[in-house]
Amino acid sequence: MQSLSVLLIFALCASSLCNLIQDKQTDFGLQVFAEAVQSAPDRNLALSPYGIASVLGMAQMGAYGATLKLLASKMGYSLQERGMPKLQRLLQRDLASEDGVEVASGVMVDRKIILEKVFRRSLSKAFQSVPHQIDFSQPEMARQVINSWTSDHTDGMISEFLPSGVLSELTRLVFLNALHFHGVWKTPFDPRNTREQLFHTVNGSAVSVPMMTTTQKFNYGEFVSKDGVDYDVIEMPYEGESISMLLVTPFEKDVPLSALNKELSSSRIHQWRQEMRKISKQLSIPRFSMDTEIDLKSTLSRMGLGDIFSQSRADFSRITTEEPLCVSKVLQRVKLEVNEEGTKGSSATAAVIYSRMAVEEITLDRPFFFLIQHKPTGALLFSGQLTQPQEY
């Protein structure tokens, strides 16, 4: 399947989580998701909004000055404000208390770096995380340690999170979040009703997929976007009903899913839940699995967070005063399996922090133009385009 015609959102119904920080994190995570899918409308993509908010929340706790203001403005809250670390800790606690959910936060720090005491205390308060010393002068060994950590906290679903080459001797910290979920449908699909059916992709083609079918009473609602797009929302609860999957799709088959990007917000989800009603429906949904990897640097930069990656402008001096730091990458990998029994999913998220004193690498490993100019006169002696190097 090249694309799913439904948007999958895992939503917790517990009222104890419906607080300021949860709504703000949901909104920020969905903004990242909307920006990412806008750049790849024909690609299967799954993100963990909670995972993204967690690792950037850790980075936010180490930010100072303009960098802190930028992160707080774009994320909608500041974990440096009084009382916010406690809300973050309670949110993580409530998530981890759910059956079938495991949440973990981790910080890997280079053994040569001395962290500020305030930053250490903040990490402990908000994420119940104690920095783990690691030797980034041996990047491959450090990568294996981090990948082992993510494997342990995702029930082995994500065993090779960081690819080779992501870490280097210039790495100083890696903020980590791992999330694992295994939920059984409240009313599982009968495998005998699963049939091969055509799934219509965004490019107009159709592919045959195993389509699961069930008839039961669902929470269901019909809505209209601000742009006048009609769409429906159907809720599929997992056992225990504190976690559910919301399926969102336009009424008209020729309306692109991207037309609903602006509908993704915590307030809209609250409205869906308030207005949906129990209705008997026959639901058919593909049995599918997804394994997506993404570097969110370009996505976050388009959202206005480019300065956190800048060697000249990033300020994370609350982490350490020994050397200036900047974010190098924000990586996430998500694996999902949806079948007749339920859903099994894991995510691993990392914010890789580099030393700003490092020399930024520029590798021309793709086609480029070249110009040979006589500077005093401005005359261009040669101009060219290299698309395929040839040895001489």
Side-chain angles (χ1 to χ4, degrees), residues 40-322:
D42 58 348
R43 172 190 169 191
N44 284 344
L45 179 65
L47 294 182
S48 169
Y50 177 78
I52 296 166
S54 292
V55 297
L56 288 182
M58 294 184 207
Q60 190 190 89
M61 300 188 87
Y64 188 74
T67 301
L68 172 60
K69 290 180 181 178
L70 177 65
L71 281 165
S73 171
K74 295 299 180 181
M75 296 177 73
Y77 63 95
S78 172
L79 286 180
Q80 291 191 25
E81 290 183 5
R82 186 178 180 88
M84 293 300 281
K86 181 180 179 181
L87 288 179
Q88 176 66 52
R89 185 177 72 252
L90 292 176
L91 173 59
Q92 183 165 305
R93 182 203 66 184
D94 287 352
L95 283 170
S97 68
E98 290 290 337
D99 289 338
V101 178
E102 182 182 351
V103 183
S105 297
V107 181
M108 305 292 177
V109 58
D110 190 80
R111 63 184 185 180
K112 298 185 292 293
I113 291 291
I114 298 177
L115 299 178
E116 293 291 301
K117 290 182 180 179
V118 172
F119 179 65
R120 278 180 167 273
R121 285 198 301 267
S122 298
L123 283 176
S124 179
K125 280 183 181 180
F127 295 98
Q128 295 182 301
S129 180
V130 177
H132 177 77
Q133 286 192 329
I134 196 169
D135 187 2
F136 285 114
S137 67
Q138 300 185 53
E140 183 58 28
M141 187 176 295
R143 184 178 76 91
Q144 291 176 9
V145 170
I146 292 173
N147 284 348
S148 177
W149 185 92
T150 58
S151 180
D152 289 344
H153 290 94
T154 59
D155 198 31
M157 280 192 78
I158 301 179
S159 57
E160 287 295 316
F161 173 38
L162 296 183
S164 182
V166 166
L167 305 178
S168 76
E169 295 182 6
L170 304 175
T171 307
R172 294 296 178 261
L173 295 98
V174 177
F175 298 127
L176 293 164
N177 176 267
L179 176 64
H180 180 68
F181 170 65
H182 189 186
V184 176
W185 301 123
K186 181 184 176 183
T187 305
F189 290 84
D190 187 339
R192 293 173 296 182
N193 294 332
T194 300
R195 299 283 187 273
E196 290 291 320
Q197 293 185 35
L198 291 180
F199 184 92
H200 301 277
T201 67
V202 292
N203 63 11
S205 64
V207 294
S208 182
V209 299
M211 197 73 75
M212 307 181 297
T213 301
T214 184
T215 301
Q216 56 181 283
K217 283 193 172 183
F218 294 98
N219 274 334
Y220 172 82
E222 299 176 357
F223 302 90
V224 181
S225 73
K226 292 180 180 179
D227 297 327
V229 177
D230 293 313
Y231 65 97
D232 60 3
V233 180
I234 191 166
E235 180 181 21
M236 294 182 60
Y238 295 97
E239 204 170 60
E241 297 195 72
S242 60
I243 301 178
S244 66
M245 177 187 285
L246 295 172
L247 304 171
V248 186
T249 188
F251 277 144
E252 304 296 332
K253 289 186 177 180
D254 58 347
V255 174
L257 190 58
S258 58
L260 299 180
N261 280 1
K262 295 179 182 178
E263 293 294 285
L264 304 181
S265 68
S266 60
S267 61
R268 200 60 162 142
I269 294 173
H270 289 320
Q271 182 187 355
W272 294 343
R273 294 198 177 282
Q274 289 172 357
E275 297 184 13
M276 286 191 295
R277 297 293 179 264
K278 285 278 188 183
I279 297 176
S280 183
K281 289 278 184 181
Q282 177 177 297
L283 172 68
S284 296
I285 180 176
R287 186 176 66 211
F288 67 92
S289 62
M290 296 178 70
D291 186 349
T292 64
E293 298 177 81
I294 188 170
D295 183 348
L296 292 164
K297 180 176 180 177
S298 60
T299 299
L300 294 170
S301 295
R302 288 194 300 272
M303 293 174 62
L305 282 165
D307 280 7
I308 69 173
F309 302 99
S310 171
Q311 290 197 17
S312 60
R313 294 186 295 275
D315 185 351
F316 290 98
S317 54
R318 279 177 61 94
I319 294 177
T320 182
T321 55
E322 292 192 327

Side-chain angles (χ1 to χ4, degrees), residues 15-35:
S15 59
S16 62
L17 293 182
C18 295
N19 54 36
L20 170 66
I21 195 169
Q22 185 264 344
D23 283 347
K24 294 295 185 182
Q25 288 189 0
T26 295
D27 283 335
F28 175 69
L30 287 176
Q31 288 169 22
V32 175
F33 176 75
E35 183 66 44

Side-chain angles (χ1 to χ4, degrees), residues 341-355:
E341 179 188 79
T343 302
K344 190 176 181 181
S346 285
S347 72
T349 313
V352 182
I353 312 295
Y354 267 33
S355 168

